[in-house]
Amino acid sequence: MMKLFLPKSTDQRFVHLAKRAKEEGFSVIRQDMDFTEEQGVFFLPFGAGTKDCINALSRIPAGSFVFLGKADDSVKQYAKQHALHLTGLLEDKGYLLQNSNHTAEGTLAEILEKTDRRLDQLCFLIYGYGNCGKAIARLLWLCGCEIWICSRARGQALARKDGFNVFPAPEKGLGMFDGVINTVPEPIFSRELLATMQQDSFFFQVASGFSGIDPKETEKLRIRFTPLHGLPGKYCPASEADAIWEVVERTLNKPPTRSTL
């Protein structure tokens, strides 16, 4: 019986993954990266840094399969040198699409909690039109929100094709919007740009990190800033586990390679 190692974590995705793995005939072990010398399937904590990832990989036997959120080049190289089959979930197109839908549902849930008006009375600007931006735009539009998209040229063209309004010149100000939803991790929001937003408007930070935004500054500007990180694990842990398991099945069923990254 193949063993599957999961971190001891309050992350409900791992709880559902453990249940799914047992149903599929795996022996599931929950522990904090204190691994044995047996080959198996290993999950690293999602969001673990480079140092922690390499430290964990050093305790995993060659030939094992390892799943994590995203790996940088040094982690990939270490896995390759030590004959570990590494899979980054955030580099799997199938998983990313499902994860984006889960993120969109979580974003909607947070908007419903934070705002005090009907959705069909709200106008949002969404920064970025990648997987997450598209999913959020589609869901909020279906709920009646007025949606505008700010993106690079290719994203703007796709947004227009999908029927959304495009806002190509944010430097002219953001005062027409009840809120901004940012899916872009780069630092693109200056204090001057944020100062053009309406007082008591909303800024939902979906992208990881803060995109160069100082929450204290938004407080001074009376902008209601809300970081929305880890939404899929909070709102859709069972569906997330299903999406992750699809990656596991695809990976284990294909001929092994040193790394799938």
Side-chain angles (χ1 to χ4, degrees):
M1 180 182 295
M2 183 175 285
K3 292 186 177 181
L4 185 140
F5 296 83
L6 291 169
K8 284 183 179 178
S9 170
T10 57
D11 190 327
Q12 289 299 300
R13 289 173 292 186
F14 289 129
V15 174
H16 289 283
L17 275 171
K19 180 181 178 182
R20 182 65 182 274
K22 289 177 181 177
E23 291 173 351
E24 298 295 333
F26 284 79
S27 173
V28 177
I29 300 171
R30 300 288 301 272
Q31 58 186 33
D32 290 325
M33 295 192 289
D34 184 20
F35 302 128
T36 68
E37 295 182 358
E38 298 178 73
Q39 284 187 356
V41 178
F42 296 79
F43 274 84
L44 305 189
F46 301 144
T50 299
K51 184 178 179 180
D52 288 337
C53 284
I54 291 178
N55 187 39
L57 293 178
S58 70
R59 299 197 295 276
I60 296 177
S64 295
F65 291 84
V66 182
F67 295 86
L68 72 168
K70 189 173 183 179
D72 62 21
D73 289 341
S74 58
V75 174
K76 296 175 185 178
Q77 185 63 27
Y78 186 93
K80 183 176 181 180
Q81 291 173 347
H82 292 80
L84 296 170
H85 310 305
L86 193 69
T87 298
L89 294 170
L90 293 177
E91 298 191 35
D92 182 276
K93 292 182 179 179
Y95 170 75
L96 278 175
L97 287 174
Q98 296 194 63
N99 178 264
S100 296
N101 290 330
H102 304 156
T103 298
E105 289 196 22
T107 301
L108 173 60
E110 293 281 345
I111 289 173
L112 289 170
E113 180 182 344
K114 298 294 190 302
T115 60
D116 52 8
R117 292 167 57 190
R118 293 203 321 260
L119 292 177
D120 62 359
Q121 296 176 331
L122 295 174
C123 177
F124 283 104
L125 175 64
I126 299 177
Y127 264 79
Y129 201 63
N131 289 326
C132 282
K134 291 177 186 177
I136 293 169
R138 182 174 62 248
L139 183 59
L140 293 184
W141 178 79
L142 288 171
C143 292
C145 293
E146 180 179 348
I147 298 297
W148 290 71
I149 304 296
C150 184
S151 182
R152 295 174 179 171
R154 183 174 181 274
Q156 290 181 12
L158 289 172
R160 284 195 182 95
K161 184 177 179 181
D162 291 341
F164 291 112
N165 305 305
V166 170
F167 192 68
E171 64 274 7
K172 292 184 178 180
L174 306 175
M176 66 176 282
F177 303 106
D178 298 301
V180 170
I181 300 169
N182 181 42
T183 68
V184 180
E186 284 83 5
I188 55 180
F189 294 94
S190 64
R191 189 187 190 282
E192 290 73 24
L193 180 56
L194 291 170
T196 67
M197 294 179 66
Q198 303 175 35
Q199 287 190 349
D200 295 321
S201 60
F202 297 89
F203 194 110
F204 294 101
Q205 176 69 8
V206 177
S208 59
F210 290 95
S211 300
I213 297 171
D214 182 353
K216 293 181 180 178
E217 287 297 320
T218 59
E219 185 176 355
K220 292 177 184 177
L221 295 168
R222 286 185 59 185
I223 297 168
R224 291 186 270 189
F225 180 82
T226 304
L228 301 182
H229 302 149
L231 292 174
K234 179 179 179 181
Y235 287 100
C236 306
S239 297
E240 269 285 290
D242 289 340
I244 292 169
W245 195 257
E246 288 179 14
V247 181
V248 172
E249 288 185 324
R250 287 201 306 271
T251 303
L252 298 184
N253 288 335
K254 69 181 182 180
T257 59
R258 287 290 180 93
S259 173
T260 58
L261 293 176

